[in-house]
Amino acid sequence: MMFKRTVIAAGVLATSSVAFADVTIDIPSGVQVLVENGIDSDYSNLGFDNQDKVVLPNGESQILFRLSHIVRESGSKKTKYKSVPLVATFTAADAALTLKLPRIDTLDDGRMFDKKPSFTLSENGKPIDIKQDKLSIGFELMPDYVKEIEKYNRANNIASWQSTGAVATVAATIPVVSSTSNAEVSKVTSASVSPDAGVDTEQMLKFWFAQADSESQKAFLSWAIQNVK
């Protein structure tokens, strides 16, 4: 399995014993994560997919998500409910968090929730400080949520993420490690990165390493040791 997204890498790991600290969020069933720190979460537009955990680097992070599940419309009739997209921006380190939302059983419940949404991120049962907001996207049938959250952040809104800036495409040759035999390394020729001076490449490495499966992690470590400068 290859890393699904581009890794911004300015350095490599020196040893295989490096510890990677991160923030994990348990995602309840019926919640669809759309964007993680400005990156598309590979969600389905049909809204039936669900990831039960999100892994983010330490520091300030932002997720965009929505409720997406079957509810009762009237009587025994059922329908698919998708909430307005919700923004959560927070700061955490070495933490295991849980996303909690109210129960939505009927379409009326969903309509009430959309008018005044509420949710929490908690650690060991205690809510942490978060900035939360709704993302207004108009009437687009299949909106580009990455672009929408970029516009939201640039507008200095309630839950804007300060690490997000204008996105530029820069030419680069970046190793992407595969878990296939011989730890084959493929290359990509461009990457989308933020021009902000505050980009932390070490945190990006930690984040993408945590996203990989065990075989991909071992393959990357093997490649990194052989190519350390």
Side-chain angles (χ1 to χ4, degrees):
M1 172 182 173
M2 299 183 66
F3 286 110
K4 295 175 71 176
R5 309 179 190 114
T6 303
V7 180
I8 304 171
V12 294
L13 304 175
T15 71
S16 60
S17 60
V18 177
F20 289 87
D22 50 40
V23 176
T24 61
I25 306 176
D26 287 333
I27 306 297
S29 176
V31 172
Q32 189 179 34
V33 180
L34 305 170
V35 181
E36 307 165 28
N37 282 354
I39 300 170
D40 190 308
S41 294
D42 295 326
Y43 64 91
S44 163
N45 278 306
L46 296 177
F48 288 98
D49 59 313
N50 173 255
Q51 57 186 108
D52 58 6
K53 192 178 296 293
V54 168
V55 181
L56 301 167
N58 287 338
E60 186 177 59
S61 290
Q62 181 187 69
I63 59 173
L64 178 69
F65 65 95
R66 66 184 176 191
L67 283 82
S68 180
H69 59 89
I70 301 297
V71 297
R72 293 195 311 275
E73 184 173 0
S74 60
S76 59
K77 185 179 179 181
K78 295 183 178 180
T79 189
K80 186 64 181 290
Y81 163 70
K82 293 181 182 179
S83 74
V84 295
L86 302 170
V87 186
T89 304
F90 59 94
T91 300
D94 305 339
L97 308 178
T98 301
L99 177 63
K100 295 183 177 180
L101 298 106
R103 184 177 177 128
I104 306 294
D105 291 322
T106 68
L107 191 56
D108 285 341
D109 290 342
R111 288 167 177 161
M112 292 179 63
F113 177 82
D114 285 344
K115 290 179 180 178
K116 193 175 181 180
S118 63
F119 58 88
T120 62
L121 278 174
S122 61
E123 181 179 14
N124 296 323
K126 297 181 180 179
I128 67 169
D129 292 333
I130 60 174
K131 292 180 287 186
Q132 55 181 281
D133 200 4
K134 295 190 293 186
L135 179 67
S136 298
I137 56 172
F139 297 99
E140 292 186 55
L141 183 61
M142 297 178 65
D144 184 330
Y145 286 110
V146 171
K147 289 183 179 179
E148 293 296 334
I149 197 66
E150 284 175 1
K151 289 191 293 184
Y152 174 90
N153 287 327
R154 286 197 297 268
N156 195 29
N157 286 293
I158 296 172
S160 286
W161 185 44
Q162 66 179 15
S163 297
T164 297
V167 174
T169 300
V170 295
T173 300
I174 301 172
V176 181
V177 179
S178 168
S179 61
T180 57
S181 60
N182 300 320
E184 201 174 34
V185 176
S186 61
K187 295 182 179 181
V188 292
T189 57
S190 66
S192 293
V193 298
S194 168
D196 293 351
V199 172
D200 189 330
T201 53
E202 180 183 354
Q203 290 287 14
M204 291 296 292
L205 280 169
K206 291 178 179 179
F207 172 71
W208 290 118
F209 187 90
Q211 295 291 306
D213 59 23
S214 176
E215 289 302 312
S216 293
Q217 289 176 344
K218 292 175 183 176
F220 178 76
L221 288 171
S222 175
W223 173 88
I225 292 170
Q226 294 175 23
N227 290 272
V228 67
K229 294 179 181 179

